[in-house]
């Protein structure tokens, strides 16, 4: 089968690889129909994710059709259309039983990382019963690709951790795909003000279309002042960090109102300064999280009820044969205005 | 009246000062019967608290008897025995109505800070109805002095924010009065393991008597290894920081288990490093808080029911006339083994 | 001044009454600009509310302008435009400090019940600082009349107690003003399915316009079957009872899914049968509540941000001089299609 | 093997039955070392549980040793000592993934009900990985038998649902084994007052020993008055119903304070009257639940840390050969003072 393979820092190739096989009774083999590329795939390609070794098929998002199931799989049968979660959950370990699937002792984020992933014609999914979701009849499958990772990530790590509430004032720092996913899913809770901050005017324009009530281009270094002006010097109840660098995290710690919550979503590669000399008495909460995807059934319901339209996140389409072009487009997002690209097999 | 007055960095004196008067209808004048000294008073004396200017009577803890009430006070009458909260709450502002009294727009921590405090024969208490608590008949008033500040601080900022749960594993870093208050009040929730970490063997011995299941003297720089050994390499569910320096905060961020909570109680004077490159995917929560004292009615109930014995925190007794000795004893805690000192008028 | 006075069961009159005066320092006198009639006023007129004695000016909803303030009022000044809460909260008692204003030991629902109410040119509001809300500039005051009672009632007693969640399935039984208020405010949380049940096709048509995804006229006695059909035999996650009779409450207990919540909003005059022989193992929660109006500041935010349009609830307008006609219209809602009527002074 | 078999209403026998066999890959066969009898077994014997048909081996509690495992079992191996949960959880269905194991679509309470149970030398446990718990080294296995059902039942359905809090006032109605389990586990949260109500003075004396602060024999019909006297006419914050008849449930609804919670634990066979005409505005919550046993890992921790001593619940010991005597003793609890009886194989 065709597969996009990580060949070491800076290198990737579309190769022919053997079709995966069932290796445990709880496995399923899924025929991929649509997949996509994540910012994390770019991190891997830079060599920043040591757990992912050369030779690995990338990708942890997608939808497909059950091809085969192991003897222990009871929830699915060949032919079922399924959504693939980016997180594999055994359903048995101490973390899975607390609904912290991201810390599953034998799973977690392994797809396209420590085992072969979804940017291929087929993929082996461990713990299929607890890591796949049946696609409801009539659903738009392209939209559901957004539910493999970015929607639950924006929602769980940003919106739920950030305790977005009706009538509250929130800021989202970073209007990339995950920041925009937080923007879409924050609206489940009807905040009164949604401020989106980024350096890219195109992405800010997209944020406006997605429901931001104010957008701020922070290139002028005045984001803090602007937020304070918008909020009557009170700051925001929730600040969602969706970039992953010190400057944006530290911005969050200055715009947060007393009693507020900073929900970190960004993947950080270095330490940040935490000014506890200013924050110790501010009654603030800071959270970090790798997505658990426990919200997937709920997101299927809400998307099914057309409460949000994640299709807005999809900007480009490619065939698997052209996946190298898809990567090129996704990498050069500032020029191509790419958010999420759909890759069809 | 006699009063302990801050005279500028490094200086204090027991002086004669006029008896305070009612200045607003919501004020009460309280005759102090017992007060105490807080670590924060020492911060002020070092000149570290710019809001507190020379000439200020110190102290924000104590019990006493209502001497006079303003025309708007409806809950108390002269002669009532009352517990003074370290936080003054107007009961009307947006923060008070969210039970965030520490951020009361015209109150908060003002006693012995921006208005005269309790280390005196009398004190004026603003917003008396919502800042004083009737002392139940038969209560040990000395014990209740612990409820002005350190018990609600340890409980709200440490135990509640830290989400201590039955069966959980917690660590308290710092066995000073507030850390010990967290240790006592953590036991309201029956954690299975309570690890206390400090540099002072005497305080660790006290912690053992107060209910710690393990104590660690971190002088050898091996606190992290020891915690991991005790917890089977899992880390702790709750880490309560009760010191206020970078090293102890950073220790909390290394001993915390996935899904755990770091509750900062310590007063920090400088930034700390937050290693988000290690923490971004750990599903951890960090909280900061200045005490709101919303838990005071509950603490009165629990202490009244003898669920904990805060008397253990009281090591020394002085008369107001000898308050300078009391300060001396409290400052030299490493030698005197002082925890809380009671000052009687 | 003109005022609508309860004269005993079945009797009311528009009378001339002396203008109210400040009787406590925490009082304010408010010039009413707009008020309305509540279903509870009809209960009083039937003689069903013994606490309300003949001679009482009715009404507990409205907006107006501060005319005078007592010496203890600090939040408002004459000329301020204010929203009147149906609940008076002293802000000091044990219940107020737990945000249970409805059980305020000296307040609660007293307006138009045990003290004179808002269906008059002026009203005395006790505990003005904690029972009135400043009207934001530019707000539509007519809409804000809906925030005195029915929106917080539908929201707090129905939506919050009912734990409405994104993606969940809810049923609202009763499409009168309060049921419709629950319908509007439930949408703050983006439920996937909202089923509204009533006997009146007009009200069901209104419910459809307000966002119901299904409506059921229960006249055929098949509401249970229909709900089960809509929900794939699972039942609903939240059932909001907004009628107040045994049949509708008992319907809630049959349509509720395992793990679900029944939020009672209706005012009941008689006992109901609770079939614990069916429910004991169903993991359900039943809640009752008189509105606390703690959500008023939040509702002001959400309505200000145009997340919902409570104006939809207003069907008729009258002058205070014509308040008897307003009552007539409101009583005969089945014919007049009245929901809420605005009465202007 | 020997097994206690339900032979139809009023009849049971100790019989020889074939040893159970693995029938699904997720099964384990467990050699029972200790089991016990539950009040529910008596209900079955009365013919009150139609799902349980004659021929069924009774029992849903116990500890034992893994004898065999199915090919899909990964958490346990033969020889492991295990605690058996009364609830079988597939770990995959919509309810299991919400931690509502009691409603598992293919499990729930099936042991000794719809499949053969634990009052035998061996038992087949479906979904072994998610329905058994490894016994910590050094644990008192007799004590752990209390963790199969009654401790999680008292804790989850009574204490957690009842929101017992530090300093709160609670009442437990019914001092049978489950009521006493609620009494023990309520103390995890340090309530200030624990009132236990029963008709049996012996059980009330036991309750006193277990930590009740007041006990009331309700035979005189004055339980309501007595509770009001104890609580200063306020009522209780939490009322735990652990009997299962209308009178005790209705008592709960009269002693509950505004804002309080009634947690139903009792198994009811008939409807109760719910006086909504008194309760609609009382801000109360009523919960029902069949135990999910999600708290088992936590209970293992707390019992391991000796926070409570469930051994107090064990009054008698029998050999499996004498299980008919054990039933006799358990049935005649009023005379024998039996609480829980341990049956050893």
């Amino acid at each position: 089968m065709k597969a996009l393979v990580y060949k070491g820092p800076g290198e990737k190739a579309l190769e022919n690889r053997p079709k995966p096989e069932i290796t445990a009774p709880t496995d399923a083999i899924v025929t991929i129909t649509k997949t996509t590329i994540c910012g994390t795939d770019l991190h891997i390609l830079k060599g920043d994710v040591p757990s992912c070794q050369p030779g690995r098929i990338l990708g942890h998002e997608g939808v497909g059709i059950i091809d085969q199931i192991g003897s222990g799989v009871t929830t699915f049968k060949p032919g079922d259309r399924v959504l693939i979660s980016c997180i594999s959950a055994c359903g048995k370990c101490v973390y899975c039983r607390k609904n912290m699937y991201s810390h599953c002792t034998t799973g977690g984020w392994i797809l396209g990382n420590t085992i072969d992933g979804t940017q291929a014609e087929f993929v082996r999914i461990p713990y299929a019963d607890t890591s796949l979701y049946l696609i409801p009849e009539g659903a738009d499958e392209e939209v559901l690709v957004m539910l493999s990772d970015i929607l639950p990530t924006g929602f769980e790590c940003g919106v739920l951790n950030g305790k977005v509430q009706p009538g509250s004032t929130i800021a989202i720092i970073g209007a990339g795909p995950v920041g925009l996913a937080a923007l879409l899913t924050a609206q489940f809770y009807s905040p009164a003000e949604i401020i989106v901050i980024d350096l890219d005017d195109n992405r800010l324009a997209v944020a406006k279309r997605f429901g931001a009530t104010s957008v701020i281009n922070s290139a002028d270094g005045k984001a803090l002042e602007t937020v304070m002006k918008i909020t009557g010097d009170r700051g925001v109840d929730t600040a969602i960090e969706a970039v992953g660098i010190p400057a944006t995290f530290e911005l969050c710690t200055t715009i947060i109102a007393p009693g507020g919550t900073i929900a970190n979503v960004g993947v950080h590669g270095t330490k940040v300064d935490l000014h506890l000399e200013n924050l110790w008495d501010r009654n603030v909460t800071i959270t970090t999280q790798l997505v658990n995807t426990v919200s997937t059934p709920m997101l299927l319901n809400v998307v099914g009820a057309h409460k949000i339209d994640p299709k807005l996140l999809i900007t480009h389409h490619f065939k698997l044969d052209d996946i190298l072009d898809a990567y090129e487009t996704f990498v050069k997002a500032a020029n191509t205005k790419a958010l999420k690209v759909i890759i069809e097999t």
Side-chain angles (χ1 to χ4, degrees), chain A:
Chain A
M1 66 170 189
K2 284 174 283 187
L4 191 282
V5 179
Y6 169 55
K7 307 292 289 181
E11 289 181 61
K12 62 181 177 295
L14 184 63
E15 296 190 345
N16 248 306
R17 293 284 288 265
K19 182 180 163 185
E21 289 175 9
I22 299 281
T23 61
T26 46
D27 285 349
I29 304 299
V30 175
T31 311
I32 294 291
T33 53
K34 295 178 202 297
T35 182
T36 184
I37 304 171
C38 181
T40 316
D41 297 324
L42 306 187
H43 282 140
I44 292 172
L45 285 167
K46 283 188 195 145
D48 287 351
V49 183
S51 56
C52 184
Q53 289 295 305
R56 178 66 60 233
I57 300 174
L58 296 185
H60 50 265
E61 300 167 277
V63 295
I65 301 164
I66 299 279
D67 176 61
Q68 302 168 50
I69 56 170
S71 61
V73 174
T74 57
T75 310
F76 303 103
K77 59 180 191 305
D80 283 348
R81 306 189 78 88
V82 290
L83 165 65
I84 299 166
S85 172
C86 64
I87 297 292
S88 302
C90 78
K92 300 173 177 183
C93 72
V94 62
Y95 288 112
C96 280
R97 297 191 77 180
K98 288 183 195 174
N99 288 331
M100 281 180 61
Y101 303 157
S102 61
H103 287 264
C104 173
T105 53
T106 57
W109 174 42
I110 55 176
L111 273 184
N113 176 5
T114 60
I115 66 171
D116 284 336
T118 58
Q119 293 170 5
E121 290 178 89
F122 296 91
V123 66
R124 179 180 69 86
I125 300 293
Y127 310 127
D129 280 326
T130 40
S131 308
L132 296 173
Y133 294 86
L134 198 65
I135 293 182
E137 210 154 316
D140 180 338
E141 298 197 1
E142 193 168 296
V143 163
L144 296 193
V145 176
M146 305 299 107
L147 270 73
S148 287
D149 179 346
I150 65 164
L151 277 187
T153 294
F155 180 65
E156 295 178 13
C157 308
V159 175
L160 279 187
N161 276 357
K163 299 185 212 95
V164 177
Q165 291 296 318
S168 70
T169 297
I170 75 170
I172 297 168
I173 294 86
V178 168
L180 292 170
L183 172 57
L184 284 175
T185 55
Q187 295 172 69
F188 295 164
Y189 293 99
S190 310
E193 297 265 358
I194 309 177
I195 304 165
V196 176
I197 303 172
D198 201 295
L199 291 164
D200 177 333
D201 280 329
N202 172 53
R203 289 190 161 184
L204 290 173
V206 172
K208 265 284 192 187
R209 282 207 305 280
F210 278 36
T213 55
S214 315
V215 296
I216 300 175
N217 188 316
S218 53
D220 63 2
K222 295 189 178 159
L224 169 59
E225 292 91 313
T226 313
V227 170
M228 287 302 160
K229 203 166 142 191
I230 292 171
T231 61
D233 271 324
R234 211 182 61 84
V236 299
D237 301 306
T238 301
I240 297 176
E241 205 284 348
V243 178
I245 59 171
T248 47
F249 182 83
E250 290 163 35
L251 176 60
C252 289
T253 64
T254 56
I255 63 176
I256 197 74
T261 301
I262 299 164
N264 186 77
V265 186
V267 177
H268 289 258
T270 176
K271 77 173 178 69
V272 302
D273 287 344
L274 183 67
H275 288 281
L276 279 182
E277 75 277 23
N278 303 326
L279 293 168
W280 72 270
D281 65 350
R282 292 278 286 174
N283 298 33
V284 299
T285 299
I286 300 167
T287 64
T288 73
Q289 191 184 325
L290 178 61
V291 66
N292 292 316
T293 67
V294 288
S295 64
T296 307
M298 180 278 257
L299 289 167
L300 282 165
N301 279 349
V302 188
V303 170
H306 304 292
K307 296 288 168 190
I308 57 169
D309 184 6
K311 200 157 193 167
L312 294 162
L313 290 161
I314 301 169
T315 53
H316 295 77
H317 292 77
F318 295 89
K319 290 283 172 189
L320 180 56
D321 284 330
D322 303 320
I323 191 168
L324 295 176
D325 294 344
Y327 265 92
E328 188 75 2
T329 299
F330 187 65
V331 167
K332 300 191 171 159
N335 296 326
T336 61
K337 303 190 177 179
L339 292 170
K340 290 296 279 186
V341 301
I342 290 286
I343 296 154
E344 291 174 81
T345 56

